[in-house]
Amino acid sequence: MDIDVSRPILARNEELAEINRERLARSGAFALDVLASPGAGKTTAILATIAALRDRYRIAVIEGDIASKVDAEKVKAHGIPAVQINTGGACHLEADMISRAFDAIPLDELDLVIIENVGNLVCPTEFDLGQGARIVVLSVPEGHDKPLKYPGIFAMAEAVLLNKMDTMHVFDFDIEEFTDSVRRVNGRAPIFQMSAKTGEGIAEWAEWLAARIESAKA
Amino acid sequence: MDIDVSRPILARNEELAEINRERLARSGAFALDVLASPGAGKTTAILATIAALRDRYRIAVIEGDIASKVDAEKVKAHGIPAVQINTGGACHLEADMISRAFDAIPLDELDLVIIENVGNLVCPTEFDLGQGARIVVLSVPEGHDKPLKYPGIFAMAEAVLLNKMDTMHVFDFDIEEFTDSVRRVNGRAPIFQMSAKTGEGIAEWAEWLAARIESAKA
């Protein structure tokens, strides 16, 4: 006998994600779900993105972590509204957590809500949050073989950010193999080579995101 | 109403883990469960550990991944028996997968079975495999704040391997803050600073592991 306990939980999440999506559509805000493994540089990439777009758009951040408030504090230190969600052990954010976070930010006054998911290349893929787009950040130190090992997350990403390009000289990272392995599961997502630390490649990625924000308003 | 669907699954896993533990005790083999996020260098650390201990001990490796066989192939290329488990989406290994992997290796003739868990700092912590010890590998590029964000895995680790020490000059990694944050959740685990790539610190870690292998035989 097989009992799939995950089905009712996921169905309920889908309903709540749909409500989040409608709420975003009404407000005209675009929500970006940022996925990555721990230490890929999500928070630094988010801060670099904010720096590139804050003059044009009103931005808030929802930070997801198992525990701690360090990321929300980092974002707030830059004068950007941030809500910290602590999942208390869960390896992903869920739609109801985002719904409660939306209550805590002025959604109608925002253009962009950046959601930093829990650091994990597996669990978050199953949980729709109602976001406008999902992206995955991989960092050079993690190695070029990751799309082969975690195909699900690379298959669903609408853009791939290859971060920490400034450390390329220290690691044996094969860009061609990486691109090939992304392309094996995902034919369309652009791959942005960047360094959130040095600012390299941020402008190209920010322009892609700006185009998505504009489509959400149209 | 709260329904905790995870309880029966975990209870069944505990039973199977106990059977694995008894099987290991009968054979005199020590099983090491290696936990880390993707790209921390688990496979390279395992290969360096094998190089340090293969003259003294008979070793096999169980490789856990969502998909792909690249890690088992890397290990086999060094002449060490390896079994690849593909979890087909699950973010952790479970005791029944290990039980089946034990069937595929000559357990009675082994001293050490190294289990490379799925790259994930969250899910594997809940699933006992029957192992003799669990360790966590964190790499310098991931950042010193990870024990605060993923306290569960650092709390249960019997040793912490801080890998990629050779890249310290490229990252803003604060060893003191890292040690403090490990100590906040784990008062006893030794922290081994190492580089699986250069071999730095491997000998100290290998001696700790050898002592555990010897205890399992005693």
Side-chain angles (χ1 to χ4, degrees):
Chain A
M1 192 179 64
D2 282 335
I3 301 176
D4 187 349
V5 291
S6 64
R7 206 164 295 272
I9 295 170
L10 286 172
R12 174 76 181 136
N13 187 74
E14 285 303 316
E15 284 169 28
L16 294 171
E18 211 41 58
I19 294 171
N20 288 349
R21 209 177 321 272
E22 286 160 16
R23 215 165 147 186
L24 285 163
R26 275 198 305 277
S27 73
F30 181 77
L32 180 76
D33 184 15
V34 181
L35 308 178
S37 77
K42 284 187 297 303
T43 312
T44 315
I46 287 169
L47 290 173
T49 306
I50 289 170
L53 294 177
R54 65 185 300 165
D55 292 343
R56 291 149 71 185
Y57 299 114
R58 295 156 302 174
I59 307 172
V61 176
I62 299 174
E63 288 290 344
D65 273 301
I66 305 274
S68 95
K69 293 185 190 180
V70 291
D71 287 345
E73 280 162 12
K74 273 187 214 165
V75 173
K76 281 183 196 165
H78 288 79
I80 295 288
V83 180
Q84 179 79 50
I85 298 174
N86 279 159
T87 64
C91 51
H92 55 266
L93 291 174
E94 296 182 17
D96 76 312
M97 302 173 189
I98 298 303
S99 163
R100 279 178 282 162
F102 281 173
D103 295 340
I105 54 176
L107 201 60
D108 290 339
E109 297 162 25
L110 295 171
D111 304 302
L112 173 63
V113 181
I114 304 179
I115 303 168
E116 180 173 345
N117 217 310
V118 178
N120 200 304
L121 287 186
V122 186
C123 317
T125 57
E126 297 226 34
F127 289 85
D128 186 4
L129 307 178
Q131 71 285 332
R134 279 187 152 161
I135 62 158
V136 62
V137 183
L138 188 91
S139 62
V140 166
E142 293 172 73
H144 55 250
D145 61 350
K146 293 304 164 289
L148 295 180
K149 293 186 172 183
Y150 304 91
I153 203 160
F154 284 90
M156 70 162 28
E158 292 187 42
V160 175
L161 271 51
L162 180 57
N163 194 22
K164 306 192 187 176
M165 283 296 291
D166 58 302
T167 69
M168 195 58 112
H169 62 291
V170 189
F171 297 97
D172 311 316
F173 190 100
D174 188 323
I175 286 265
E176 210 167 311
E177 266 197 49
F178 174 70
T179 307
D180 285 353
S181 58
V182 171
R183 284 292 163 257
R184 237 169 281 170
V185 294
N186 189 323
R188 55 181 168 61
I191 300 171
F192 295 101
Q193 298 180 17
M194 57 179 278
S195 165
K197 195 173 167 187
T198 67
E200 172 194 349
I202 294 293
E204 293 80 357
W205 146 247
E207 279 322 301
W208 182 91
L209 180 56
R212 296 297 302 263
I213 296 168
E214 293 303 328
S215 324
K217 292 188 182 306
Chain B
M1 193 178 66
D2 283 335
I3 300 175
D4 187 350
V5 291
S6 64
R7 207 164 295 273
I9 296 170
L10 287 173
R12 173 78 181 134
N13 188 74
E14 285 302 317
E15 283 168 29
L16 294 171
E18 210 42 58
I19 294 170
N20 288 348
R21 209 178 320 270
E22 285 161 16
R23 217 165 145 184
L24 285 162
R26 274 198 306 275
S27 74
F30 182 77
L32 179 76
D33 184 16
V34 181
L35 308 177
S37 77
K42 283 188 296 303
T43 313
T44 314
I46 287 169
L47 290 173
T49 305
I50 288 170
L53 294 177
R54 66 185 299 166
D55 292 343
R56 289 150 72 184
Y57 299 114
R58 293 158 302 174
I59 307 172
V61 175
I62 299 173
E63 287 290 345
D65 272 301
I66 304 275
S68 97
K69 292 186 192 181
V70 291
D71 286 346
E73 281 161 12
K74 272 187 214 165
V75 172
K76 281 182 196 165
H78 288 80
I80 295 289
V83 181
Q84 179 79 50
I85 299 174
N86 279 159
T87 64
C91 52
H92 55 265
L93 291 174
E94 297 183 16
D96 75 313
M97 302 174 190
I98 298 303
S99 162
R100 278 180 284 161
F102 281 174
D103 294 340
I105 54 177
L107 201 60
D108 290 339
E109 296 162 25
L110 295 171
D111 303 302
L112 173 64
V113 181
I114 304 179
I115 303 167
E116 180 172 346
N117 217 310
V118 179
N120 199 304
L121 287 186
V122 185
C123 317
T125 56
E126 297 227 32
F127 289 85
D128 186 3
L129 306 179
Q131 71 285 333
R134 280 188 150 160
I135 61 158
V136 61
V137 183
L138 188 91
S139 62
V140 166
E142 293 172 74
H144 55 250
D145 60 351
K146 293 303 164 289
L148 295 179
K149 292 185 172 183
Y150 304 91
I153 203 161
F154 284 91
M156 71 163 26
E158 293 188 42
V160 176
L161 271 51
L162 180 58
N163 194 21
K164 307 192 187 176
M165 283 295 291
D166 58 303
T167 69
M168 194 59 110
H169 61 291
V170 189
F171 296 97
D172 310 315
F173 191 100
D174 189 323
I175 287 264
E176 209 166 312
E177 266 197 50
F178 174 71
T179 307
D180 284 354
S181 57
V182 172
R183 286 289 164 258
R184 236 170 281 171
V185 293
N186 188 323
R188 56 182 166 62
I191 300 171
F192 295 101
Q193 298 180 18
M194 56 178 279
S195 165
K197 195 173 166 187
T198 68
E200 172 194 348
I202 294 293
E204 292 79 356
W205 146 245
E207 281 319 304
W208 181 92
L209 180 56
R212 295 299 301 263
I213 296 169
E214 294 301 328
S215 321
K217 290 188 184 306

